[in-house]
Amino acid sequence: MLNSEYLKNLNDNQKEATLYLDGPLLIVAGAGSGKTRVLTSRIAHIIKQNKAFPNQILAVTFTNKAAKEMQIRVSKLLKKEATGLPWLGTFHSISAKLLRRHADAVGLKSNFSIIDKIDQERLIKNICKAENIDTKKISPKYILAIIDKWKNKGLYPNDVILKKKNPLEKNFLEIYKIYQNKLIDLNTADFSDLILHTVKIFQKYKDISELYSKKFKYILVDEYQDTNFIQSEWLKYLSQSNKNICCVGDDDQSIYSWRGAEIKNFLEFDKVYDNTKIIRLEKNYRSTQNILNVASKLIENNQNRVGKKLFTNHDDGEMVKLTCYRNVKDEAIEIGSKIENLKKKYSLNEIAILVRAIFQTREFEERFLKIGIPYRIVGGIKFYERAEIKDCIAYLRIIHQPLDDLSFERIINIPKRSIGDTTIKNINEFAKKNNCSLEIASKRLIEDNKIKPKTKVGLSSLISLLQKWRNDLNNNTNHNKLLQIILDESGYSEMLKNKKDLENENRLENIKELLSAMKEFDNLENFLDHVALATSLDQDWQNEKVNLMTMHSSKGLEFDIVYLPGWEEGLFPHQKSIEEKGENGLEEERRLAYVGITRAKKIAEISFSMNRFYQGDWMDSMASRFVDELPEKFIKKNNTFTEEVSDDFEFNQDIEFGDESRSPGWIRYQKKLNDK
């Protein structure tokens, strides 16, 4: 007779997934459907029924946090029978354990070190230096990303087949060969090696792969939709004997292809594992039915999916709101006002604003600072604290105020000008001794020939440029234009554009957003005062805060109220995603929309703007194609919204707008009204 303790409170589908122990099982777990409960109940059931000892169960998660939570939950279910799960962990932690037992098979010793990202970059940098590769143009981070991509595909250097369309890959491959040999020489492995080496051992040594595949009677995998190629191969080897592999995930929440995740692992699970049973967890314990209906109808437009329909026992709840704003400033103002009203009833901790791109937080941050709404940036840094923004501000400050030593010190070697720590130390000592600014100290040291020739060139150039930019400012060059000049003439723009780096797209977008912000101020002084006040305000409230984050960062989280601004074509779905991946990119963007909507428990509001202030200019916007895919039956359009939003949108006349924010789109709209 089954112990009902761990089966209690499970719905029929959850119970079926818990009890099914014979053969491959794919659990299609919709958002908020209790997948962790099923996984932990399943482990408890296996142990309770004596199907396997704890050390014969392999349970794989993507994060240490998830592994810890699973361990705690299983222990609670098993009570005194909890003896620990030695093979519960992440892909990397379990691979490290396996690799230490068989390190010699890949030329390592069992006491090998695991190298972190910083040391990886340092090693790549040293290799590039030896190979005469300019790391100013191609960053070590970018090279490592390419190497990781190869490793995630299961490729050692000798396995890589170069693509003709990317001539740089030849150089990267040479670096990869040197890098990999160096790791072996140092008795070191990087994170990607942990899985790659393990799989290669399984491939080469059948006895080792059989040893572990026979050992693990049951294998459970969380968030299976996020696995890459090498992880799926790893699982194939470990499950080949007993075939009892259970993978849990949601293909509709596969949003990490840029990290190597392959949705086909999920979609083709039943083709890889014969006699697969598929169980769908469709009962949602998080959201209202209206929210689920909107999310479900939207995701149905995707072709590549297993398919499911979410339902809940909750009330229908409020309809999902769809709001069109005249511009992004109005969007931030109105959402801020709504939050002001909602905080009387809801905790700010239960309110989230989910954006497609991190630069979008700026407008909301500005508004919240102005009206005193505390906020946090989840998984990111506040706008004016981002490194590239602080660099730009430092340039502007030293031009405006030549005695600003802190700003001078920040930008003295950004971009690289061959000015090292020793030179900076000497400049500081001279300035202190002679009671002058760092800039004056630099000039005097140059005049006295106390700067090394190579360093002198870079430092002299900076001093000359600073004076030139001050002249530009004095000659009434617009402060917005001045920053663009600085970025070009300093080499900062070139550094970002030429330096291949996965983070650079965000950096460039943030700088473009900064240029837009500057346009709102009459002069440089006013803008710098604004930044100083914005950054000096104590935002580290201990109490409640509104959550600002990207939709990618929101996965796995939930909130009572969710705002989803910026649903405009080109921004969401993101143009780059479509250009690079075509239909697959569009489907992933739609899955991202699905993730965003299903974070909401009670209230969800989607919005877009007719105009966006971009790089200092007004740009006409068009509603995202996803807006057209929202089911009218479950959507409440505000009273300013009509069917043809792009042309015949009628603004709420109760809202007053200032002339200063009128855009070309708004002007054309007014002209059209007058012509009628």
Side-chain angles (χ1 to χ4, degrees), residues 365-527:
E365 290 187 61
E366 298 267 19
R367 185 60 187 167
F368 291 172
L369 286 167
K370 189 172 182 178
I371 62 178
I373 293 179
Y375 69 93
R376 64 172 68 86
I377 304 291
V378 180
I381 302 168
K382 291 173 181 177
F383 185 81
Y384 287 115
E385 294 173 9
R386 294 166 195 169
E388 61 278 8
I389 302 301
K390 292 181 79 169
D391 291 342
C392 291
I393 299 299
Y395 269 108
L396 292 169
R397 279 181 174 152
I398 190 63
I399 291 163
H400 179 253
Q401 210 279 85
L403 300 178
D404 190 338
D405 284 351
L406 290 174
S407 294
F408 184 83
E409 195 163 9
R410 181 176 184 92
I411 58 94
I412 190 171
N413 202 39
I414 299 176
K416 299 291 185 186
R417 300 186 177 93
S418 302
I419 303 170
D421 291 340
T422 303
T423 301
I424 295 171
K425 185 183 176 184
N426 291 337
I427 294 170
N428 271 287
E429 287 175 353
F430 185 94
K432 188 177 180 181
K433 186 178 177 181
N434 293 275
N435 194 27
C436 63
S437 69
L438 295 184
E439 187 177 343
I440 295 294
S442 300
K443 287 180 183 177
R444 290 186 185 173
L445 286 169
I446 290 169
E447 291 167 359
D448 295 343
N449 287 317
K450 292 183 178 178
I451 302 289
K452 291 179 181 178
K454 189 178 179 182
T455 304
K456 185 178 178 179
V457 172
L459 190 56
S460 298
S461 173
L462 175 62
I463 299 294
S464 298
L465 282 170
L466 289 174
Q467 193 53 57
K468 187 261 181 188
W469 295 329
R470 287 181 189 124
N471 291 337
D472 288 341
L473 185 63
N474 292 333
N475 291 329
N476 296 319
T477 299
N478 177 276
H479 57 288
N480 183 279
K481 179 66 178 174
L482 179 64
L483 178 56
Q484 295 179 56
I485 292 170
I486 292 167
L487 292 169
D488 288 339
E489 294 182 351
S490 68
Y492 200 98
S493 293
E494 187 182 8
M495 176 186 76
L496 291 183
K497 289 174 183 175
N498 295 341
K499 191 175 181 181
K500 299 292 185 181
D501 191 313
L502 296 180
E503 297 172 1
N504 268 9
E505 184 184 342
N506 281 340
R507 293 190 186 106
L508 287 165
E509 291 293 343
N510 285 333
I511 290 174
K512 290 170 185 176
E513 185 64 16
L514 178 67
L515 289 166
S516 295
M518 291 175 68
K519 200 84 173 208
E520 298 173 19
F521 297 86
D522 294 332
N523 55 57
L524 179 58
E525 188 171 67
N526 288 346
F527 172 68

Side-chain angles (χ1 to χ4, degrees), residues 432-641:
K432 188 177 180 181
K433 186 178 177 181
N434 293 275
N435 194 27
C436 63
S437 69
L438 295 184
E439 187 177 343
I440 295 294
S442 300
K443 287 180 183 177
R444 290 186 185 173
L445 286 169
I446 290 169
E447 291 167 359
D448 295 343
N449 287 317
K450 292 183 178 178
I451 302 289
K452 291 179 181 178
K454 189 178 179 182
T455 304
K456 185 178 178 179
V457 172
L459 190 56
S460 298
S461 173
L462 175 62
I463 299 294
S464 298
L465 282 170
L466 289 174
Q467 193 53 57
K468 187 261 181 188
W469 295 329
R470 287 181 189 124
N471 291 337
D472 288 341
L473 185 63
N474 292 333
N475 291 329
N476 296 319
T477 299
N478 177 276
H479 57 288
N480 183 279
K481 179 66 178 174
L482 179 64
L483 178 56
Q484 295 179 56
I485 292 170
I486 292 167
L487 292 169
D488 288 339
E489 294 182 351
S490 68
Y492 200 98
S493 293
E494 187 182 8
M495 176 186 76
L496 291 183
K497 289 174 183 175
N498 295 341
K499 191 175 181 181
K500 299 292 185 181
D501 191 313
L502 296 180
E503 297 172 1
N504 268 9
E505 184 184 342
N506 281 340
R507 293 190 186 106
L508 287 165
E509 291 293 343
N510 285 333
I511 290 174
K512 290 170 185 176
E513 185 64 16
L514 178 67
L515 289 166
S516 295
M518 291 175 68
K519 200 84 173 208
E520 298 173 19
F521 297 86
D522 294 332
N523 55 57
L524 179 58
E525 188 171 67
N526 288 346
F527 172 68
L528 291 175
D529 285 349
H530 167 77
V531 174
L533 290 169
T535 53
S536 68
L537 289 173
D538 183 13
Q539 280 292 306
D540 192 25
W541 285 282
Q542 295 299 310
N543 301 318
E544 302 172 2
K545 301 176 190 176
V546 175
N547 302 280
L548 274 70
M549 69 192 82
T550 63
M551 281 181 269
H552 281 103
S553 298
S554 75
K555 191 169 175 290
L557 304 177
E558 59 182 41
F559 306 92
D560 284 341
I561 301 156
V562 170
Y563 291 97
L564 299 147
W567 280 41
E568 298 140 32
E569 199 66 19
L571 179 57
F572 191 47
H574 204 284
Q575 189 63 33
K576 187 181 178 186
S577 184
I578 297 173
E579 287 174 356
E580 291 183 352
K581 304 172 192 172
E583 190 63 31
N584 289 334
L586 178 60
E587 291 209 350
E588 181 159 339
E589 291 287 296
R590 193 176 283 111
R591 291 194 292 271
L592 193 55
Y594 174 85
V595 167
I597 296 169
T598 55
R599 298 311 93 196
K601 293 194 283 187
K602 297 176 181 178
I603 297 172
E605 181 171 323
I606 297 164
S607 59
F608 62 95
S609 301
M610 292 181 70
N611 296 278
R612 181 169 289 278
F613 205 51
Y614 188 70
Q615 285 185 265
D617 293 309
W618 284 107
M619 306 288 288
D620 289 337
S621 301
M622 192 166 67
S624 167
R625 68 189 76 187
F626 298 155
V627 169
D628 294 331
E629 295 173 0
L630 299 173
E632 298 246 346
K633 187 177 177 182
F634 308 109
I635 292 288
K636 182 183 179 183
K637 299 175 181 178
N638 70 359
N639 60 0
T640 67
F641 197 101

Side-chain angles (χ1 to χ4, degrees), residues 113-133 135 139-141 143-144 147 151 174-191 193:
S113 307
I114 301 171
I115 191 171
D116 63 20
K117 286 290 182 186
I118 294 171
D119 285 337
Q120 278 182 274
E121 288 175 28
R122 190 167 62 183
L123 181 55
I124 291 289
K125 194 172 181 179
N126 291 339
I127 294 169
C128 288
K129 190 176 180 180
E131 296 297 307
N132 294 315
I133 294 171
T135 54
S139 78
K141 278 186 180 179
I143 297 170
L144 279 171
I147 292 173
K151 289 186 176 185
E174 288 303 312
I175 294 170
Y176 183 17
K177 289 176 181 176
I178 299 167
Y179 171 75
Q180 208 59 24
N181 288 332
K182 193 69 177 173
L183 288 179
I184 298 295
D185 291 343
L186 295 170
N187 192 35
T188 300
D190 64 25
F191 265 69
D193 280 336

